[in-house]
Amino acid sequence: VIVEALKVDSLQKLCSSLEPILRRVVSEEVERALAKLGPARLGNRSSPKRIEGPDGRNLQLHFKSRLSLPLFTGAKVEGEQGAAIHVVLLDANTGQVVTSGLEASAKLDITVLEGDFNNENEEDWTQEDFEGHEVKEREGKRPLLTGDLQVTLKEGVGTLGDLIFTDNSSWIRSRKFRLGLKVASGYCEGIRIREAKTEAFTVKDHRGELYKKHYPPALNDDVWRLDKIGKDGAFHKKLNKAGIFTVEDFLRLVVRDSQKLRNILGSGMSNKMWESTVEHAKTCVLGGKLYVYYTDETQSVGVIFNNVYELRGLIANQQYVPAESLSDSQKVSVDALVKKAYDNWSSVVEYDGKALIGPRSNRKGSSSCPEASAPAMQYANAYNQQVPLTCEPVGMQAVQSSANSGLTGG
C-alpha cells in the first residue's frame, strides 16, 4: 500500500512539474495555428475586455489585509495577528479608493479559487477566466466555505465576516486555495470591476491545530507550545522528566537558574534555538499573583516576586520600593535576599490580593498578617493598575542586617 501511495504521489508531482511546460507548448501551437489563418483574420481576434468603469476609470477590488497562516478546517479565517480582513474598491489609474457612486456600495461575493490561478501575475484577467478557476466542494462534502459569504462596500471599503473552510486543500492540483472577491449578480451591471484574489495558501485538517504553537503563549499552556519544542519530542520529554510541564514552569526556571534549564535541554538545542524558545516564552502575559519572602519573624524586611519568580520590589520598614528604583547599594543587599529566597522557597508566602497564603498565615496570632499585607497590597494595586508607586527612600541598615544574618524564619 505504501509503495502504491508513493507511486501515486510521484505521478502527481510529475504532472505538476510538466503542466507549465505543456501550457507553454499548447500556447505556442495555438499561436502558430492562428498565424496560418493570415494577418487579416488574426487581426480580428477580440482583445481581453478592458477593466474600465464609467469615465474611463480602471476599477479593481483589492484585499488590504494579509491572512493569518496556516489555516485549518473548522477555524475562523482571520487577518494577521487576528485582525479583521478589509477589502477596498480602487481606481487603479489614481490609486485612490472609490468612495462614491453605485460601485462604492456594491455587494460582493466571496469565493474560493485554485491556488495556481493567475500565477503569471498578469494584471488583467477576464470574468470568465476568474470564474473558471473557482473551486466547489467535493462530491458528497459540505460547502467548501461557510459563514458570511457576502460583504457590502460602504464608501468603497468592506470588512469580511466569519469565514470557515470545511475541507483541506490537499485534493486539488496545486494543493492550495486562494480567496476571491467579485461583484455579486445584479450589481454594477455593464461596468467591469476586476475581481480580487489573495495569495495562495494551504488549508490543513483541524487535527493539525492540536500541535499549533500559541502566540503569545499562556502560563498554563503545555511547554511544547513554545517554539523549538515539539510535542512528545526529545526536548519535551527531557523537560517533563525534570518536572517542567507548563510555560509557567519553564519561565520560573529561566528566572531562578537558566543554566540548569539549559543543561536539562542539552547540547541538542543550539544557542539560536535556545534564544528563540526563551524569547517566545517571555512574550507570555503574566498574571497578578505575588509571592513575599520575609527574612525573619518580625516581617520588617522582605522581597516581592511575581508568579514566575522575578523580583518586583523590596519591603523594608513598612515601605515598598520597586525593583527598578533600587539604588546600587540596595541592589547588592537585595540580591543576597533573593538568593536566600530561592534557596528557601518553601518559606515564601503567596499573596492572592487579599491575604497572605502560606506557612506563616497559619501560625497563631499571625493569620491576618496586618504588618505584611499593607506594603504587599500597595504593590499589588500598583501592579494591577500598571502605575508606578512613589515611595520614601528606605534605609539600608535593616536590609543589610537581614541580608547578612542567618535565617530565623520557618
Side-chain angles (χ1 to χ4, degrees):
V1 172
I2 294 173
V3 171
E4 290 301 318
L6 289 172
K7 287 180 179 178
V8 172
D9 187 54
S10 299
L11 181 60
Q12 289 174 336
K13 288 181 178 177
L14 177 62
C15 291
S16 297
S17 61
L18 285 176
E19 184 181 354
I21 301 172
L22 294 174
R23 281 177 179 269
R24 187 166 63 251
V25 171
V26 171
S27 176
E28 290 172 355
E29 290 301 322
V30 170
E31 290 294 336
R32 189 176 290 113
L34 289 171
K36 291 178 181 178
L37 296 177
R41 295 184 64 179
L42 186 60
N44 292 330
R45 291 173 61 199
S46 59
S47 59
K49 189 176 181 181
R50 291 292 300 169
I51 301 177
E52 286 190 355
D55 307 321
R57 292 180 297 172
N58 189 350
L59 302 180
Q60 300 180 359
L61 293 169
H62 283 270
F63 284 93
K64 295 298 289 181
S65 310
R66 298 180 69 88
L67 301 184
S68 176
L69 303 176
L71 293 178
F72 293 93
T73 57
K76 183 181 175 183
V77 178
E78 296 179 323
E80 287 183 330
Q81 300 180 344
I85 301 172
H86 300 292
V87 298
V88 296
L89 175 63
L90 297 178
D91 180 356
N93 292 336
T94 63
Q96 300 296 314
V97 176
V98 179
T99 58
S100 60
L102 294 176
E103 312 84 49
S105 56
K107 183 173 288 188
L108 311 175
D109 288 335
I110 301 163
T111 64
V112 180
L113 300 170
E114 294 175 0
D116 57 3
F117 169 61
N118 197 239
N119 267 348
E120 298 81 10
N121 289 320
E122 295 176 359
E123 285 195 12
D124 294 353
W125 56 76
T126 64
Q127 180 180 344
E128 292 76 14
D129 192 25
F130 179 89
E131 294 178 346
H133 285 81
E134 290 180 353
V135 182
K136 302 299 181 184
E137 66 275 7
R138 287 191 274 183
E139 187 176 353
K141 294 277 190 177
R142 296 168 54 199
L144 181 57
L145 190 66
T146 62
D148 304 324
L149 301 181
Q150 286 192 322
V151 57
T152 301
L153 294 178
K154 184 176 181 181
E155 296 183 349
V157 180
T159 304
L160 271 58
D162 292 347
L163 295 171
I164 294 174
F165 279 95
T166 64
D167 199 359
N168 64 63
S169 58
S170 65
W171 54 277
I172 64 170
R173 181 180 59 244
S174 65
R175 307 287 198 279
K176 292 183 178 181
F177 292 141
R178 295 179 191 262
L179 282 182
L181 203 63
K182 64 180 182 179
V183 177
S185 178
Y187 289 83
C188 303
E189 293 183 347
I191 301 173
R192 173 69 177 135
I193 299 178
R194 195 196 72 170
E195 300 81 7
K197 62 181 177 66
T198 65
E199 295 297 317
F201 54 82
T202 301
V203 177
K204 302 179 180 180
D205 280 325
H206 178 70
R207 58 178 175 266
E209 193 169 15
L210 298 176
Y211 298 87
K212 187 179 179 182
K213 305 297 183 183
H214 289 169
Y215 299 94
L219 285 174
N220 60 354
D221 273 348
D222 290 319
V223 70
W224 57 261
R225 295 285 187 184
L226 295 176
D227 282 345
K228 312 304 179 186
I229 300 176
K231 186 177 182 182
D232 298 326
F235 297 142
H236 186 202
K237 291 176 180 177
K238 287 180 180 180
L239 291 170
N240 283 180
K241 187 176 180 180
I244 302 167
F245 300 98
T246 65
V247 174
E248 185 176 51
D249 295 336
F250 184 92
L251 280 170
R252 284 175 172 177
L253 197 52
V254 167
V255 173
R256 289 181 61 176
D257 193 343
S258 61
Q259 188 55 51
K260 180 180 178 180
L261 179 59
R262 188 74 180 87
N263 293 337
I264 290 171
L265 291 167
S267 58
M269 174 171 276
S270 67
N271 290 334
K272 188 174 182 180
M273 293 170 67
W274 162 256
E275 291 169 3
S276 176
T277 304
V278 172
E279 184 178 346
H280 184 204
K282 287 183 177 180
T283 63
C284 185
V285 178
L286 303 181
K289 188 185 294 183
L290 305 175
Y291 295 90
V292 185
Y293 175 75
Y294 290 105
T295 58
D296 54 37
E297 292 292 337
T298 64
Q299 299 182 345
S300 59
V301 177
V303 281
I304 293 180
F305 303 90
N306 63 15
N307 52 345
V308 295
Y309 302 165
E310 286 179 317
L311 175 69
R312 303 312 302 157
L314 167 72
I315 295 174
N317 300 329
Q318 289 297 297
Q319 295 291 333
Y320 167 75
V321 181
E324 57 271 16
S325 299
L326 294 171
S327 66
D328 291 340
S329 57
Q330 285 174 327
K331 287 177 182 177
V332 174
S333 299
V334 168
D335 284 345
L337 295 181
V338 169
K339 187 177 186 305
K340 285 185 179 181
Y342 287 162
D343 292 340
N344 299 273
W345 197 257
S346 60
S347 300
V348 171
V349 183
E350 181 183 335
Y351 180 72
D352 68 353
K354 298 178 182 178
L356 295 170
I357 306 169
R360 291 194 177 88
S361 64
N362 296 325
R363 294 188 176 184
K364 184 177 179 180
S366 62
S367 60
S368 61
C369 299
E371 298 85 10
S373 60
M377 187 176 295
Q378 185 185 24
Y379 168 73
N381 291 336
Y383 184 85
N384 292 331
Q385 297 171 11
Q386 299 297 307
V387 177
L389 289 170
T390 54
C391 304
E392 297 297 327
V394 178
M396 285 307 300
Q397 185 176 357
V399 179
Q400 288 171 341
S401 63
S402 296
N404 296 330
S405 64
L407 284 171
T408 58

